[in-house]
Amino acid sequence: MKNITLAIAAASMGAASVATPALASNTVTKTIKVSVDGLDLNTISGQETLEKRVEFAAKRVCGYSDIRTDARLRRDAQKCMAKARAGAAKQMAAIIEDQRRGG
């Protein structure tokens, strides 16, 4: 089973987030695994499904759906999601290439 792991180190986003404290006092590290099981990543459809799974996971790990009106928290969540997407993009490219090679 192959997974993409989103690991985000970001400023603490308040009580809404569940995280493991990292070494820095105001920093937390959050992780979530995104399964690629059942996806044919050689197809556009499979890649789009994976992108949707990653987007959902990024929103979850960054607490995006918990943000209602606080502009600062919304900006923090958006920054967190950008980092999550960037990290996931590298992993997705590697997994897609691995699957293309028959791995």
Side-chain angles (χ1 to χ4, degrees), residues 29-84:
T29 299
K30 304 176 213 179
T31 61
I32 191 167
K33 291 189 181 200
V34 179
S35 174
V36 298
D37 286 350
L39 298 180
D40 181 356
L41 298 177
N42 293 311
T43 67
I44 297 296
S45 175
Q47 292 174 21
E48 287 174 346
T49 299
L50 178 57
E51 287 176 10
K52 288 177 186 174
R53 289 180 184 180
V54 166
E55 184 69 13
F56 177 78
K59 285 181 178 180
R60 219 172 132 205
V61 79
C62 293
Y64 191 79
S65 61
D66 297 332
I67 310 299
R68 300 279 187 256
T69 57
D70 188 308
R72 183 188 60 79
L73 291 177
R74 190 170 40 252
R75 281 191 306 275
D76 288 349
Q78 289 170 339
K79 288 178 186 177
C80 175
M81 288 181 59
K83 289 179 185 178

Side-chain angles (χ1 to χ4, degrees), residues 2 4 41 88-101:
K2 294 184 182 176
I4 293 173
L41 298 177
K90 294 175 186 175
Q91 294 177 67
M92 288 184 342
I95 289 173
I96 289 168
E97 186 58 31
D98 184 52
Q99 197 174 87
R100 283 186 181 149
R101 291 182 178 168

